[in-house]
């Protein structure tokens, strides 16, 4: 039985330039999908998958993310005084010691952000969730991955098929043998030049990694876009320990882009019992 995954790293130190000007003063992870910030969806996903420690890799201007998970005594007292329910705040109240933060002083890339959490992660497997990638599924994406990880161990990354014309935007895997949703990984490349991708299976931002991934990141090598890439560090682990891609059952929304963000809002709103009917009526008439 592989060691249980208890810790999750949330890299939230990026600049979010695709959502400017909003992200000039609001962290991308705090923009709302209906009435909850993006980070709440990622944290819910992690908790439901059994994660006990939430590690936020933050940067300048990102303190709103950490404040959000504090208990807001004045707000609670006001709501209570008005006879209103506090249930709506429940998911945003972190348990004591559940949230740990570390800073990435410069946005040097996703791999560098993950590496900044190395001392907190220590010598155990860990999950990485990119909160701007919203995953909807039942069970959720990370929970599906944890279930598969408990069978195969090693490293496991979520994978998703995209049209060939889009592979240059993502980390892409070179697939080996496939068994149901699991595919062995023979190689991976970050943002391959158009027409050179080894497949159309991209990495949408959910990972379960062994501590060896942190050691691979120690080299601090720059890759695509001059950034320290997680994909490059993971590629070094292939062949040393099991490495699988997991095709999860569900939907993925790239909320880091304006169109993806709007589409995610509509998709989530349509699924909600409270706001769904009004939004459905509006969309039908548009
Ligand atoms: P993205 O490339 O999607 O985020 O990184 P970004 O750089 O913030 O956005 P754009 O492209 O400028 O619009 C994926 C994830 O990695 C984090 C981001 O916060 C995001 O969750 N990240 C990226 C870091 O934490 N540090 C970095 O140096 C880079």
């Amino acid at each position: 039985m592989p060691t249980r995954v208890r810790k999750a790293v949330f890299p939230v130190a990026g600049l979010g330039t695709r959502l400017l000007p909003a992200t000039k003063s609001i962290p991308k992870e705090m923009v709302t999908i209906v009435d909850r910030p993006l980070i709440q969806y990622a944290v819910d996903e992690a908790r439901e998958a059994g994660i006990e420690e939430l590690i936020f890799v933050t940067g300048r201007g990102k303190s709103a993310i950490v404040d959000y998970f504090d208990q807001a005594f004045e707000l609670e007292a006001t709501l209570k005084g008005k006879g209103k329910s506090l249930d709506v705040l429940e998911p945003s109240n972190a348990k004591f010691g559940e949230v740990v933060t570390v800073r990435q002083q410069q946005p040097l890339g996703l791999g560098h952000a993950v590496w900044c959490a190395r001392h907190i992660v220590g010598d155990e497997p860990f999950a990485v969730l990119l909160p701007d990638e919203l995953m909807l599924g039942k069970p959720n994406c990370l929970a599906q991955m944890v279930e598969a990880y408990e069978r195969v161990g090693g490293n496991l990354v979520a994978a998703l098929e995209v049209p060939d014309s889009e592979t240059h935007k993502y980390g892409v895997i070179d697939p080996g043998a496939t068994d149901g949703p699991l595919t062995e990984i023979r190689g991976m490349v970050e943002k391959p030049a158009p027409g050179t991708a080894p497949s159309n299976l991209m990495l949408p931002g959910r990972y379960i990694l062994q501590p060896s991934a942190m050691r691979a990141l120690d080299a601090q090598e720059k890759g695509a876009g001059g950034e320290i890439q997680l994909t490059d560090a993971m590629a070094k682990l292939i062949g040393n320990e099991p490495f699988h891609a997991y095709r999860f059952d569900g939907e993925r929304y790239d909320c880091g882009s304006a169109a993806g963000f709007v589409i995610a809002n509509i998709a989530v709103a349509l699924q909600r019992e409270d706001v769904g009917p009004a939004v459905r009526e509006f969309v039908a008439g548009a």
Side-chain angles (χ1 to χ4, degrees), residues 11-18 28-29 104 107-110 113 130-132 256:
V12 292
L15 298 178
T17 53
R18 285 168 297 157
K28 169 166 72 174
E29 298 75 14
Q104 184 194 25
L108 297 179
L110 173 60
L130 307 191
D132 53 345

Side-chain angles (χ1 to χ4, degrees), residues 48-59:
E48 278 168 36
I51 297 296
E52 294 164 5
E53 190 170 314
L54 313 170
I55 304 167
F56 296 138
V57 182
T58 71

Side-chain angles (χ1 to χ4, degrees), residues 235-271:
K236 291 185 188 166
L237 308 177
I238 298 165
N240 300 335
E241 45 197 31
F243 212 133
H244 291 91
Y246 183 86
R247 275 178 237 228
F248 77 99
D249 185 14
E251 304 297 325
R252 167 248 178 189
Y253 300 94
D254 173 14
C255 301
S257 72
F261 166 69
V262 174
I263 292 167
N265 260 292
I266 296 170
V268 172
L270 289 174
Q271 288 181 15

Side-chain angles (χ1 to χ4, degrees), residues 167-202:
T167 49
H168 65 282
K169 295 194 259 176
Y170 303 109
V172 178
I173 67 158
D174 180 4
T178 292
D179 178 11
L182 285 168
T183 298
E184 277 174 29
I185 298 185
R186 291 192 305 205
M188 57 177 83
V189 53
E190 184 65 35
K191 300 189 178 61
T196 67
S199 75
N200 64 348
L201 276 177
M202 63 76 115

